[in-house]
């Protein structure tokens, strides 16, 4: 189909770097053949942080990025004239005020050409930002006025219970690309069964709110209980130098270097290798903004059973056929259960099938296209 015969869509979104949940989703949209066939699409990157530890903090560089973004958006609106505007919105903090400023040329443009506007939220925080501040509530109502909202889980519906003026609300589960073929997956299962070794993988941002310290404590308990034939791999970017120092000091003081390997921020073949060689995935996150962690979906795509805290939409994702939902008091006991009962070919198959049925990138692309066309 000729580009001139399909609707123009402007996507204003995060994509890597830095690597976090919203930027991974942005990467998927940017590279999506389905989206680029469905729309005459152009893209603008929301660039506000270069490193993970800069997220949520104000600095002069962010002001420069804001002005640059404002110019780019205004320019695209004038020359490209999209009928659909998709924006990765932030619920609170400096990022909200940035989005508010960027929304002004969009609102002016909307008075003239009536585009469909979609704000896609990947994290909680709207309610806490607005419920104790009359000003924040008014500004958020202004920001949301006549926009369609996309939430990644129905657990976010209460986020806007104090707000008015928005149009429709859609729910869109995250999806990720499978990095392995079905034949590769069968070889991965065979290797897991042959090795008969438990390989625990923690892959997320390296911050205690995400639970890497909990996994360190589990490693200490495993050592004290003389539970052998287990290895634990960590991967992810450090939130701060203090988190890195805490990790290294704990490993050294507890003598865990034979149990634990830290691989840094991994991508591509290195990431694929870690998922392929793991036999279970652990995600004891208590991060207050957690909703729909992509690392859990990536784990399921490799057929890994999950052990996770009940945070965000975890209870929507995990059932007893593919893992266990646990808490701080029972996580060691549940880890033993998952080691003893979930390290089988049948469980690995169930996890992979759960991913294919619900969280593949094809499903995500189909649903987001339907949302953008339906409003």
């Amino acid at each position: 189909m000729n580009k001139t015969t399909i609707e123009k869509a402007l996507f204003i979104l995060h994509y890597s770097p830095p690597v976090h949940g919203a930027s991974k989703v942005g990467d998927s949209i940017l590279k999506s053949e389905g989206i680029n066939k469905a729309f005459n699409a152009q893209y603008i990157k929301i660039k506000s942080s270069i490193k993970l530890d800069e997220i949520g903090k104000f600095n002069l560089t962010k002001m420069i990025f804001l002005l640059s973004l404002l110019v780019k958006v205004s320019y695209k609106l004038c020359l490209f004239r999209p009928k659909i505007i998709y924006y990765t919105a932030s619920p609170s903090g400096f990022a909200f005020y940035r989005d508010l400023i960027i929304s002004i040329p969009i609102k002016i443009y909307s008075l003239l050409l009536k585009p469909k506007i979609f704000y896609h939220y990947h994290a909680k925080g709207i309610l806490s930002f607005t419920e104790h501040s009359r000003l924040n509530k008014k500004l958020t109502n202004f920001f949301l006025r006549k926009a369609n909202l996309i939430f990644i889980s129905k657990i976010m519906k209460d986020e806007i219970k104090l707000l008015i003026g928005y149009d429709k609300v859609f729910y869109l589960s995250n999806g990720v690309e499978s990095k392995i073929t079905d034949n590769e997956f069968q070889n991965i299962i065979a290797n897991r069964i042959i090795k008969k070794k438990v390989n625990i993988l923690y892959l997320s941002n390296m911050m205690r709110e995400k639970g890497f310290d909990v996994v360190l404590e589990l490693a200490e308990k495993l050592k004290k209980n003389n539970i052998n034939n287990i290895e634990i791999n960590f991967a992810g970017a450090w939130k701060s130098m203090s988190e890195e120092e805490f990790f290294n000091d704990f490993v050294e003081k507890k003598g865990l270097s034979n149990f634990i390997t830290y691989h840094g921020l991994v991508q591509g073949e290195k990431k694929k290798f870690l998922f392929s060689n793991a036999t279970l995935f652990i995600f004891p996150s208590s991060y207050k903004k957690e909703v729909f962690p992509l690392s859990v979906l990536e784990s399921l795509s490799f057929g890994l059973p999950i052990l996770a805290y009940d945070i965000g939409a975890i209870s929507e994702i995990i059932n007893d056929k593919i893992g266990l939902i646990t808490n701080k008091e029972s996580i060691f006991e549940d880890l033993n259960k998952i080691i003893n009962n979930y390290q089988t070919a049948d469980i690995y198959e169930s996890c992979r099938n759960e991913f294919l049925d619900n969280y593949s990138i094809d499903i995500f692309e189909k649903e987001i296209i339907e949302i953008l066309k339906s409003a």
Side-chain angles (χ1 to χ4, degrees):
M1 186 180 293
N2 193 297
K3 284 284 186 180
T4 60
T5 65
I6 56 179
E7 285 190 310
K8 294 180 179 180
L10 179 61
F11 291 84
I12 308 164
L13 71 177
H14 298 276
Y15 51 87
S16 304
V19 178
H20 49 78
S23 69
K24 288 181 180 178
V25 175
D27 291 341
S28 297
I29 292 173
L30 188 68
K31 296 184 292 185
S32 168
E33 290 185 11
I35 291 171
N36 284 290
K37 285 180 180 179
F39 304 105
N40 179 2
Q42 293 194 17
Y43 300 89
I44 298 175
K45 181 176 184 177
I46 301 174
K47 188 175 182 180
S48 59
S49 301
I50 299 173
K51 299 178 181 178
L52 184 66
D53 60 4
E54 294 177 349
I55 295 175
K57 299 177 182 178
F58 174 80
N59 56 47
L60 182 60
T61 302
K62 289 190 176 184
M63 290 301 299
I64 296 172
F65 288 155
L66 168 59
L67 293 174
S68 174
L69 181 60
L70 184 62
V71 170
K72 290 177 182 178
V73 170
S74 300
Y75 178 81
K76 285 292 185 183
L77 293 174
C78 290
L79 294 186
F80 183 51
R81 297 185 182 181
K83 295 295 291 182
I84 297 169
I85 299 172
Y86 168 99
Y87 194 101
T88 304
S90 298
S92 61
F94 171 80
F96 166 79
Y97 297 112
R98 174 204 62 209
D99 294 347
L100 182 65
I101 293 170
I102 300 303
S103 76
I104 293 173
I106 294 174
K107 290 182 182 298
I108 295 171
Y109 176 81
S110 299
L111 293 174
L112 303 173
L113 295 181
K114 310 295 183 185
K116 294 181 287 186
I117 300 172
F118 298 85
Y119 292 148
H120 195 169
Y121 285 92
H122 296 272
K124 293 187 291 184
I126 301 173
L127 180 60
S128 60
F129 184 65
T130 57
E131 64 181 339
H132 300 303
S133 171
R134 186 176 299 177
L135 176 61
N136 287 344
K137 183 178 177 181
K138 286 183 177 180
L139 291 175
T140 303
N141 275 328
F142 173 77
F143 177 69
L144 298 182
R145 188 171 180 269
K146 295 186 177 181
N148 301 287
L149 311 183
I150 303 174
F151 290 145
I152 56 179
S153 168
K154 289 185 178 180
I155 67 166
M156 296 177 70
K157 62 183 179 181
D158 285 345
E159 289 285 292
I160 51 173
K161 66 181 183 181
L162 303 178
L163 303 174
I164 58 174
Y166 53 86
D167 195 356
K168 297 178 182 178
V169 178
F170 299 91
Y171 297 99
L172 173 65
S173 298
N174 282 334
V176 297
E177 181 182 0
S178 176
K179 299 296 185 181
I180 52 174
T181 65
D182 290 341
N183 286 338
E184 286 178 308
F185 178 59
Q186 293 304 318
N187 290 333
I188 287 170
I189 291 179
N191 288 333
R192 288 173 184 168
I193 301 302
I194 290 170
K195 288 181 180 178
K196 297 180 179 180
K197 186 172 186 176
V198 177
N199 185 320
I200 302 170
L201 177 61
Y202 170 97
L203 192 152
S204 186
N205 290 324
M206 295 294 290
M207 47 198 284
R208 274 171 275 187
E209 290 172 294
K210 292 277 191 176
F212 80 75
D213 57 327
V214 177
V215 185
L216 289 176
E217 291 170 2
L218 288 175
E220 182 185 11
K221 285 187 178 181
L222 290 170
K223 180 184 177 184
K224 287 181 178 178
N225 284 271
N226 294 314
I227 300 177
N228 300 312
N229 204 36
I230 292 178
E231 65 177 88
I232 304 176
N233 290 286
F234 290 81
W238 295 109
K239 180 185 179 183
S240 65
M241 187 176 295
S242 63
E243 297 282 43
E244 184 176 5
E245 290 173 352
F246 174 88
F247 181 94
N248 291 331
D249 288 346
F250 192 102
V251 171
E252 183 178 352
K253 289 177 181 177
K254 305 297 182 179
L256 299 175
S257 58
N258 291 332
F259 283 80
I260 286 174
T261 305
Y262 170 65
H263 297 269
L265 176 62
V266 294
Q267 296 292 329
E269 288 302 313
K270 179 68 173 181
K271 188 176 185 180
K272 180 178 177 179
F273 174 83
L274 289 177
F275 275 122
S276 298
N277 282 274
T279 62
L280 70 90
F281 187 80
I282 190 164
F283 191 73
S285 175
S286 300
Y287 183 51
K288 63 182 180 180
K289 293 185 178 180
E290 200 79 70
V291 181
F292 219 99
L294 295 179
S295 57
V296 171
L297 305 187
E298 289 176 306
S299 301
L300 291 176
S301 76
F302 283 85
L304 293 177
I306 313 294
L307 181 63
Y309 281 0
D310 190 4
I311 189 80
I314 286 293
S315 61
E316 297 178 10
I317 303 170
I318 297 176
N319 57 65
D320 58 10
K321 294 181 180 179
I322 63 171
L324 296 173
I325 297 175
T326 188
N327 54 51
K328 188 173 183 179
E329 289 71 33
S330 61
I331 188 169
F332 186 69
E333 178 184 349
D334 288 334
L335 176 62
N336 283 311
K337 286 181 183 178
I338 210 166
I339 288 172
N340 292 326
N341 301 320
Y342 284 75
Q343 304 290 275
T344 68
D346 287 344
I347 294 293
Y348 301 145
E349 290 275 9
S350 294
C351 295
R352 172 76 172 172
N353 289 336
E354 187 75 18
F355 163 76
L356 293 174
D357 291 342
N358 298 288
Y359 306 115
S360 72
I361 195 64
D362 291 339
I363 293 172
F364 173 81
E365 287 179 356
K366 179 182 177 181
E367 292 183 353
I368 195 171
I369 289 169
E370 288 178 355
I371 288 172
L372 296 180
K373 287 189 172 183
S374 67

